[in-house]
Structure formats: structure tokens, C-alpha cells
């Protein structure tokens, strides 16, 4: 578990992180989202003891990260996959990480296999790695101590579609086994698929927090059927506001309520999902428009 209480970081007159509080729970993936410069990386650095907070605190597994005995055995951290010695081989990088936290050589072979780096690739110098291979190596280093918590900043950066699919499964399995995952990513479609809960920040402050389903339902429910005209009539008769869009109907009610109306009206649904067609991306842009460099997109 990660518990963040009133965490704040100021640099002179600039407040990078402004009084944020949230919890990332065991058995779940928490998406930590925000525009560039919103304070995500600074917050994650404070959680993992790399940057001292101005005020507030962050606890991992009930303690400050710095107070954990051998923290690498409890928390796997990947904040910058490019921060690896370019002159060492992948195997050497992972071996040093394993020795630092006191795990044996079998953990190195297991870690390389887990992230899909072959023996030949593990023998190459890191300077010759692609960005995606560096991401895999960084994740192997985060996992080498068999931690209970993962703190990952843009772990899918540089991965191809197959690699992204693989990482999604890996993190989902980790959480389903009782682990805690805090994940920062700009790949919003992937976050929407994998994240159980979301924390969205803008200008250093939390602008939305809750389960993925709850936050997406704020945009209504997207629904299509074999008879949208009849469904629209049934929804309005149930006092549910509904609008037509190119993607189908958008009803201002939870998906369960929409499905119940359709069932009662004997209308066959072909699509039912929380949120509008834009999903998490639309929600994110709406909530963070004031903090975006581009402002509100057309």
C-alpha cells in the first residue's frame, strides 16, 4: 500500500506539488495521471525517498521509504529507464541491482526471462539497447527483489504494441496476486484498460480521484442497440437524459441503470460502456485543460 498525506514540494516561490493526498491499495493498479509539468514525477520521487518533501509525508507499506529495511526487497521503482550505465551489459546492470539488495544470481536469470530479454540481448551493452529494451531492463531491475509494491513512471514508453500488451498482462497479474501498482503514463487508452483507480493531477493539485468506472461514468454511459430510437424513448421515459452522437447514444446514468432500462424494454444492446466515446482521454483533457500547454483542444 502507498499512502500519501498532504504531500507538498516547493522550490522557492514555485509549488511543484500542492497538498496531495491519496491511497494506492494492494490488489489494484492506480493510474497517476497529469499533463507534463503537473508534478507527477516530483510526487513519485518524494514517495521513493529521492526528493525530500517540503511538507506532508508518503508511506509505503506503512513506513517512509527511507525507513524500510532494504527497500529494494519491498518496493520496485522505475522512474527513468534511461538512467542505466551505457557501458555495462544488461546482465551486469541487473546483477549489480540484485547484489545491492542481497538477492542471488537466480533472480537475475528469472528477471531477464520475466521481461523477455534473451541471453544474447542481456549480453549487449546498454548503449546499444533500443528504448523499449531499456524499459524492459528497468522493469526487470524493479522486479528483481520480488517486491510487494511497484512505482513506475512511463513504463510502456518505447514499447511496441506487443510489448505494451505484454506489460499490461504483467502488471495486471502482479496486482491480482495482491501487489500494489502505482503507474504514471501518457498512454491513456492503456491506463483505461488496466487501472482500477485513477488519480489525476493538474498544476500540482489533485483534480479528480476515484475508481476508473466512477470517473468515466461522470461522462455518462455510451450505449448502442438494435433499435436506438426505441431505446432513446425508453431512457427518456425513465427520466434519464440522453443525447445522440456519432458513436451512439450517451445516457446520463450508470451503465447498470441503462442496461436495466433496455432489459425492461426488451431491447437488445450491442454496446454498453461507461464514459463517452472519448473515454479516459476526453475526461483527462476536460479536467486538465487549464493546466495544459495547449489549453483546450479543438
Amino acid at each position: 500500500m502507498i499512502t500519501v498525506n498532504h504531500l507538498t514540494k516547493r522550490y522557492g516561490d514555485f509549488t511543484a506539488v500542492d497538498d496531495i493526498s491519496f491511497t494506492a491499495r494492494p490488489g489494484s493498479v492506480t493510474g497517476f495521471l497529469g499533463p507534463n509539468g503537473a508534478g507527477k514525477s516530483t510526487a513519485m520521487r518524494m514517495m521513493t525517498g529521492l526528493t525530500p518533501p517540503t511538507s506532508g509525508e508518503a508511506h509505503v507499506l506503512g513506513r517512509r521509504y527511507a525507513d524500510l529495511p532494504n527497500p529494494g526487497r519491498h518496493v520496485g521503482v522505475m522512474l527513468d529507464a534511461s538512467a542505466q550505465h551505457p557501458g555495462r551489459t544488461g546482465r551486469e546492470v541487473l546483477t549489480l541491482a540484485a547484489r545491492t539488495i542481497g538477492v542471488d544470481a537466480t533472480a537475475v536469470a528469472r528477471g531477464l526471462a520475466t521481461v523477455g530479454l534473451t541471453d544474447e540481448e542481456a549480453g549487449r551493452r546498454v548503449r546499444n539497447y533500443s528504448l523499449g529494451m531499456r524499459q524492459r531492463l528497468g522493469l526487470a531491475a524493479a522486479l528483481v527483489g520480488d517486491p510487494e509494491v511497484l512505482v513506475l513512471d512511463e513504463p510502456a514508453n518505447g514499447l511496441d504494441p506487443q510489448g505494451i500488451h505484454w506489460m499490461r498482462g504483467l502488471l495486471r497479474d502482479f496486482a491480482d496476486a495482491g501487489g500494489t501498482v502505482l503507474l504514471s503514463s501518457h498512454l491513456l487508452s492503456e491506463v483505461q484498460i488496466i487501472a482500477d483507480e485513477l488519480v489525476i493531477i493538474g498544476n500540482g493539485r489533485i483534480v479528480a480521484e476515484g475508481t476508473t468506472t466512477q470517473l468515466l461514468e461522470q461522462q455518462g454511459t455510451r450505449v448502442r442497440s438494435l433499435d436506438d430510437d426505441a431505446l432513446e424513448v425508453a431512457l427518456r421515459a425513465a427520466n434519464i437524459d440522453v443525447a445522440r452522437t456519432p458513436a451512439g447514444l450517451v445516457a446520463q446514468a450508470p451503465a447498470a441503470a441503462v442496461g436495466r432500462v433496455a432489459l425492461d424494454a426488451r431491447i437488445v444492446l450491442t454496446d454498453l460502456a461507461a464514459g463517452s466515446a472519448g473515454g479516459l482521454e476526453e475526461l483527462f483533457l476536460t479536467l486538465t485543460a487549464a493546466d495544459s500547454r495547449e489549453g483546450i483542444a479543438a
Side-chain angles (χ1 to χ4, degrees):
M1 178 181 288
I2 302 172
T3 305
V4 175
N5 291 310
H6 303 290
L7 200 61
T8 299
K9 182 62 181 180
R10 299 187 183 92
Y11 296 97
D13 294 332
F14 173 66
T15 301
V17 177
D18 191 359
D19 192 33
I20 67 171
S21 299
F22 68 89
T23 299
R25 296 172 176 80
S28 68
V29 177
T30 299
F32 190 42
L33 309 178
N36 290 333
K40 303 186 303 298
S41 295
T42 300
M44 296 174 96
R45 288 178 62 84
M46 286 190 283
M47 294 175 213
T48 54
L50 296 173
T51 297
T54 302
S55 60
E57 58 186 2
H59 287 170
V60 184
L61 299 172
R63 305 186 186 188
R64 292 188 312 142
Y65 182 87
D67 294 334
L68 289 169
N70 197 357
R73 297 295 299 271
H74 303 282
V75 187
V77 179
M78 187 177 79
L79 300 184
D80 184 1
S82 65
Q84 299 162 353
H85 196 299
R88 294 195 177 111
T89 67
R91 184 175 289 103
E92 288 170 344
V93 168
L94 196 55
T95 298
L96 286 172
R99 289 179 178 175
T100 298
I101 61 175
V103 296
D104 60 32
T106 61
V108 175
R110 186 170 60 249
L112 291 170
T114 297
V115 301
L117 288 175
T118 66
D119 286 342
E120 187 274 329
E121 289 168 335
R124 293 186 204 167
R125 304 291 177 186
V126 171
R127 68 165 61 94
N128 297 318
Y129 274 17
S130 66
L131 177 56
M133 290 173 65
R134 288 180 185 238
Q135 294 292 103
R136 289 175 182 266
L137 181 61
L139 187 58
L143 291 168
V144 74
D146 193 22
E148 301 165 66
V149 176
L150 290 176
V151 179
L152 309 174
D153 193 1
E154 299 290 349
N157 190 23
L159 293 179
D160 59 22
Q162 287 182 326
I164 292 171
H165 178 79
W166 160 80
M167 179 168 288
R168 185 200 308 160
L170 181 69
L171 299 184
R172 184 72 268 163
D173 289 346
F174 183 89
D176 289 345
T180 301
V181 180
L182 182 66
L183 167 69
S184 172
S185 177
H186 287 119
L187 298 177
L188 299 182
S189 60
E190 286 301 314
V191 174
Q192 182 173 337
I193 293 171
I194 193 175
D196 304 293
E197 301 190 16
L198 298 173
V199 177
I200 304 176
I201 68 172
N203 198 26
R205 298 185 65 87
I206 293 177
V207 297
E209 179 183 3
T211 70
T212 304
T213 299
Q214 288 171 340
L215 292 177
L216 290 177
E217 282 182 347
Q218 293 177 6
Q219 299 176 279
T221 297
R222 185 180 74 253
V223 60
R224 277 183 163 174
S225 72
L226 295 181
D227 190 346
D228 281 354
D229 291 336
L231 180 58
E232 182 177 359
V233 170
L235 289 168
R236 293 190 186 280
N239 296 316
I240 295 175
D241 290 336
V242 60
R244 284 185 174 271
T245 74
L249 302 178
V250 176
Q252 298 305 311
V258 174
R260 191 173 300 114
V261 169
L263 176 63
D264 291 342
R266 300 297 190 268
I267 298 171
V268 177
L269 299 184
T270 58
D271 184 26
L272 180 67
S276 65
L280 180 55
E281 179 177 302
E282 183 174 319
L283 175 67
F284 177 87
L285 293 174
T286 300
L287 291 172
T288 62
D291 308 302
S292 169
R293 295 178 184 273
E294 289 75 27
I296 299 176

